[in-house]
Amino acid sequence: MEEYKVIEVKESIFEDNNADADRLRDEIKTKKTCLINLMSAPGSGKTTTLCRTIERLKDEMAIGVMEADIDSDVDAATVSRAGAKAIQVHTGGMCHMDADMTRQGLQEMGCDDLDLVFIENVGNLVCPAEFDTGAVKNAMILSVPEGDDKPLKYPLMFSVCDIVLINKCDALPAFEDFSKEKVVERIHKINPNASVIFISAKKGEGMDEWIDWLRGQVRLWQD
Amino acid sequence: MEEYKVIEVKESIFEDNNADADRLRDEIKTKKTCLINLMSAPGSGKTTTLCRTIERLKDEMAIGVMEADIDSDVDAATVSRAGAKAIQVHTGGMCHMDADMTRQGLQEMGCDDLDLVFIENVGNLVCPAEFDTGAVKNAMILSVPEGDDKPLKYPLMFSVCDIVLINKCDALPAFEDFSKEKVVERIHKINPNASVIFISAKKGEGMDEWIDWLRGQVRLWQD
């Protein structure tokens, strides 16, 4: 199955994105749709992580993915094949998603029947952190090859995330200067409440813990 | 030696950044300063590549580096130790450098005596591509772990670059799904004139070719 719409979203008409994000959270609360905003730099493994996540959860809940991209439909095709309802959102050059862009995507995709929807945000550690999308939780991926100093350089991104997945742990032997201890220490210095999980989306390591975290978020939101 | 200024740059007062970038190119032409704008995603290895480059070239020319960052002075300290004149430019949350921000950085650093200046742009494959900094040439780094599909997803970035360094080639064995042929094909489909060099800043592979390219650019600009 590879079926998805492609839409071009318009810039928000709302001056106050934060207030609009709160409205969107109210809207999805009534639909019992748990919305997770997944952010990372380009190439950290968002799409692969989502595909493995969808495969693990699709028999117990209905999942949707909103693929935000400047251009291209590569990712919507991929997650659709993995078994999620998918929509490709073209941001028209915009480097982030805001709450109204997210709303436009959800409306076009249709989320009344969905338990869990991911926004795969534009690959960017800067701008997406500045805009509340209306998601219930923010998640981010930092991959081992990017280096353990990234919390120092993109503090806002790490400060707005509820959970940080450290991906590509299978490549740790090739990046021996990456310190697991240091990266956790740096993340917690900025954001003491962030959960940190070491994963390899490719090999499966740590995925149980991530899947359990997601199950917990959906349960809490639908209660 | 670890000596560098830190400045906060202001948003450009010029409406037409492209015209201002042309003015800046004229200004640095009279000073014979060859300005190279280096862009990449976070963690692709910009700073390591610059350090190895500085070490190789510092005895034959005077080099400066403008480190653009949302926050933190990590990189300016590092390149200063490698032997370049350095300035840390805080963009105040801005996700890119424009021509006037670059001018402010050059003025504060002082570039009259410099042959080659690098802008290490904010780690971001989206926004920096949209702003001409006034540089003589645009260079970018894509690292192997990010994947060979990035030209499809960030076409503007690849289209504005004169040279693409594919870094972390020493990690190719850990990323066996990365195709060197495909990435070159995808880059050249967008930008047939881009030079593509496979390097490992860490192990030295391909650095000769990059150093030669830089020597050629400085020579051309100073002629």
Side-chain angles (χ1 to χ4, degrees):
Chain A
M1 186 189 75
E2 189 182 310
E3 214 173 74
Y4 58 89
K5 275 194 198 172
V6 180
I7 65 163
E8 317 283 326
V9 289
K10 311 265 179 314
E11 218 179 327
S12 173
I13 53 165
F14 298 106
E15 257 183 56
D16 186 346
N17 181 64
N18 286 342
D20 190 37
D22 285 336
R23 272 196 301 276
L24 182 57
R25 260 184 296 276
D26 290 342
E27 293 158 27
I28 58 173
K29 181 76 182 171
T30 64
K31 298 181 192 227
K32 297 190 179 241
T33 301
C34 182
L35 181 66
I36 305 285
N37 176 27
L38 182 61
M39 298 177 282
S40 84
S44 303
K46 288 190 295 301
T47 312
T48 305
T49 303
L50 283 179
C51 286
R52 298 298 88 79
T53 302
I54 293 159
E55 287 156 10
R56 295 274 298 263
L57 283 173
K58 67 181 175 185
D59 292 335
E60 49 184 290
M61 57 181 81
I63 305 175
V65 178
M66 192 183 312
E67 290 292 345
D69 246 315
I70 304 295
D71 209 332
S72 101
D73 310 341
V74 184
D75 295 337
T78 310
V79 298
S80 169
R81 278 194 299 273
K85 193 168 182 181
I87 188 163
Q88 182 76 48
V89 171
H90 285 169
T91 60
M94 297 263 287
C95 48
H96 64 271
M97 290 286 285
D98 65 20
D100 194 57
M101 291 159 87
T102 303
R103 180 184 287 110
Q104 293 169 52
L106 287 173
Q107 278 169 349
E108 281 293 328
M109 177 162 70
C111 69
D112 292 12
D113 55 340
L114 297 178
D115 301 296
L116 175 62
V117 173
F118 293 98
I119 305 167
E120 184 177 334
N121 215 313
V122 180
N124 185 332
L125 287 187
V126 185
C127 322
E130 296 167 16
F131 294 85
D132 188 340
T133 57
V136 177
K137 295 283 172 183
N138 287 326
M140 75 164 286
I141 302 181
L142 171 70
S143 67
V144 166
E146 292 168 57
D148 57 23
D149 61 340
K150 290 303 158 289
L152 303 174
K153 303 187 69 179
Y154 303 92
L156 183 64
M157 175 57 76
F158 287 85
S159 73
V160 301
C161 279
D162 300 288
I163 186 165
V164 180
L165 304 176
I166 314 278
N167 192 23
K168 305 192 189 179
C169 282
D170 53 295
L172 271 167
F175 295 92
E176 68 267 355
D177 44 0
F178 188 97
S179 161
K180 291 170 93 168
E181 294 70 35
K182 269 195 196 152
V183 78
V184 172
E185 190 187 305
R186 286 166 180 166
I187 293 168
H188 282 154
K189 198 173 165 191
I190 294 165
N191 182 351
N193 299 317
S195 302
V196 181
I197 309 179
F198 290 88
I199 69 165
S200 162
K202 213 153 79 175
K203 309 277 180 183
E205 183 191 335
M207 290 298 281
D208 285 346
E209 203 183 328
W210 161 239
I211 297 292
D212 280 344
W213 184 88
L214 286 169
R215 279 196 191 102
Q217 299 307 323
V218 174
R219 206 179 303 123
L220 269 172
W221 191 247
Q222 294 189 330
D223 258 358
Chain B
M1 188 188 74
E2 189 181 310
E3 214 174 74
Y4 57 90
K5 274 194 197 173
V6 180
I7 65 163
E8 317 283 327
V9 287
K10 310 266 180 312
E11 219 179 328
S12 173
I13 53 162
F14 296 106
E15 258 183 54
D16 186 346
N17 181 65
N18 286 342
D20 190 37
D22 285 336
R23 270 196 301 276
L24 182 57
R25 260 184 296 274
D26 290 343
E27 292 158 26
I28 58 173
K29 181 75 181 170
T30 64
K31 298 180 193 229
K32 298 191 177 235
T33 301
C34 182
L35 180 66
I36 304 286
N37 176 27
L38 183 60
M39 300 178 279
S40 83
S44 302
K46 286 190 296 302
T47 312
T48 305
T49 303
L50 283 180
C51 286
R52 296 300 87 78
T53 302
I54 293 159
E55 287 156 10
R56 295 275 298 262
L57 283 173
K58 67 181 174 182
D59 292 334
E60 50 185 291
M61 56 181 82
I63 305 175
V65 178
M66 194 184 308
E67 290 290 345
D69 246 314
I70 305 295
D71 211 332
S72 102
D73 310 340
V74 184
D75 294 338
T78 310
V79 297
S80 168
R81 277 194 300 274
K85 192 167 181 180
I87 188 163
Q88 182 76 49
V89 170
H90 285 168
T91 59
M94 299 264 286
C95 49
H96 63 271
M97 290 287 285
D98 64 21
D100 194 56
M101 290 158 88
T102 302
R103 180 185 287 110
Q104 293 169 52
L106 286 174
Q107 278 169 349
E108 282 293 329
M109 178 163 69
C111 68
D112 292 11
D113 54 341
L114 297 177
D115 301 294
L116 175 61
V117 174
F118 294 98
I119 304 167
E120 184 177 335
N121 216 313
V122 181
N124 184 332
L125 287 187
V126 184
C127 322
E130 296 167 16
F131 294 86
D132 189 341
T133 56
V136 177
K137 295 283 172 183
N138 287 325
M140 74 164 286
I141 301 179
L142 171 70
S143 68
V144 165
E146 293 168 57
D148 57 23
D149 61 340
K150 291 301 159 291
L152 304 173
K153 305 187 68 180
Y154 303 92
L156 183 64
M157 176 57 78
F158 287 85
S159 73
V160 301
C161 278
D162 301 288
I163 186 165
V164 181
L165 304 177
I166 314 280
N167 192 23
K168 304 193 189 177
C169 283
D170 53 296
L172 271 166
F175 296 91
E176 69 267 355
D177 42 1
F178 187 98
S179 162
K180 290 170 92 169
E181 294 70 33
K182 271 194 195 152
V183 80
V184 173
E185 191 188 305
R186 285 167 180 164
I187 293 168
H188 282 155
K189 200 174 163 191
I190 294 165
N191 183 351
N193 299 319
S195 303
V196 181
I197 309 178
F198 290 88
I199 68 164
S200 162
K202 214 153 77 174
K203 309 276 181 185
E205 183 190 335
M207 290 296 281
D208 285 344
E209 205 181 329
W210 161 238
I211 296 291
D212 280 343
W213 184 89
L214 286 170
R215 280 195 191 106
Q217 299 307 323
V218 174
R219 208 178 304 126
L220 269 173
W221 192 246
Q222 295 188 331
D223 259 359

